[in-house]
Amino acid sequence: MMPRTSLQILLIITLGFAASYYWVPRLTNTPDEAHSERQKALPKSYVVDARSWLYDKQGALTEIMEAESVEDFPQRDESLLQAPRLYSLNGDENTWSASAERGRFIHSRETLVLSETVEMAHDQTGTLLESEQIRINLGKKTARSRKPVTITSAQGKATADGMVAMLPQEKVIMKPNVESVYATPSP
């Protein structure tokens, strides 16, 4: 009787080892919907102290963009920037610089949306444009704001409820509700 019981126990142990060796628990390949949504909310990459340079076809530097940090979300076609700074160059005689607390770059539209304490300056004249939000189309080199803007220059100060700027032409159109105060030149 003893050999048959030990044979059964040995058979059970062998089957147990075989089952544990070949049995692989399979997890579900499709995550739940909440997991998918969390994955979409995460950036694909994160860069600290970012700087990029853009050159034209002739090799001339046309743009420098910097930020304290950049989070890239390719699934949303955008990058979020902290403390962005943009330098737009059009030869040595015409440069604009812009900065803000936050920014959003929309890749397919080549558009930089600057928000919160936005300052844009014409570097040669010292003219300063301030607003809470400015959209800059980097491809067309234009800037727009539908928020109140203030332009301060040596000639005075002007305010409006919006503006359009053509950066290479150094042309700013302010509208609507434009008010201005001109300073008289000091002798």
Side-chain angles (χ1 to χ4, degrees):
M1 194 59 112
M2 187 70 107
R4 188 168 193 217
T5 307
S6 61
L7 186 62
Q8 288 176 344
I9 292 173
L10 183 61
L11 182 62
I12 291 172
I13 292 172
T14 305
L15 287 174
F17 280 126
S20 66
Y21 180 77
Y22 289 106
W23 181 63
V24 178
R26 303 218 189 271
L27 299 175
T28 177
N29 288 337
T30 55
D32 64 351
E33 191 172 311
H35 177 75
S36 296
E37 290 302 314
R38 286 191 303 272
Q39 287 291 97
K40 287 180 186 176
L42 295 174
K44 185 74 171 173
S45 62
Y46 183 83
V47 179
V48 177
D49 292 331
R51 178 180 279 183
S52 69
W53 297 271
L54 182 66
Y55 296 88
D56 65 12
K57 292 177 183 177
Q58 290 74 34
L61 181 63
T62 60
E63 179 183 295
I64 301 170
M65 192 179 324
E66 302 174 337
E68 286 181 8
S69 66
V70 178
E71 294 177 313
D72 185 37
F73 296 89
Q75 66 276 21
R76 296 185 339 212
D77 188 39
E78 69 179 2
S79 294
L80 302 180
L81 302 98
Q82 287 296 320
R85 293 171 303 282
L86 172 71
Y87 305 96
S88 178
L89 302 104
N90 190 27
D92 292 335
E93 300 175 13
N94 184 5
T95 60
W96 291 84
S97 56
S99 63
E101 290 181 30
R102 294 183 314 114
R104 182 168 64 102
F105 181 68
I106 305 165
H107 299 272
S108 63
R109 295 183 184 163
E110 294 184 35
T111 301
L112 177 63
V113 181
L114 299 174
S115 303
E116 296 179 27
T117 317
V118 181
E119 293 184 348
M120 194 165 103
H122 185 272
D123 296 328
Q124 284 67 40
T125 63
T127 301
L128 180 65
L129 188 145
E130 299 171 284
S131 183
E132 281 302 307
Q133 186 179 64
I134 293 178
R135 295 177 73 89
I136 302 172
N137 184 309
L138 301 175
K140 295 179 181 177
K141 292 202 178 266
T142 59
R144 294 184 181 278
S145 181
R146 292 192 173 137
K147 302 281 185 181
V149 295
T150 301
I151 294 181
T152 307
S153 68
Q155 292 77 30
K157 185 176 189 177
T159 60
D161 290 339
M163 69 89 194
V164 176
M166 284 68 73
L167 304 180
Q169 294 82 14
E170 302 179 41
K171 184 177 182 180
V172 178
I173 300 169
M174 299 178 71
K175 61 181 180 179
N177 302 322
V178 180
E179 293 181 21
S180 59
V181 176
Y182 291 97
T184 56
S186 301

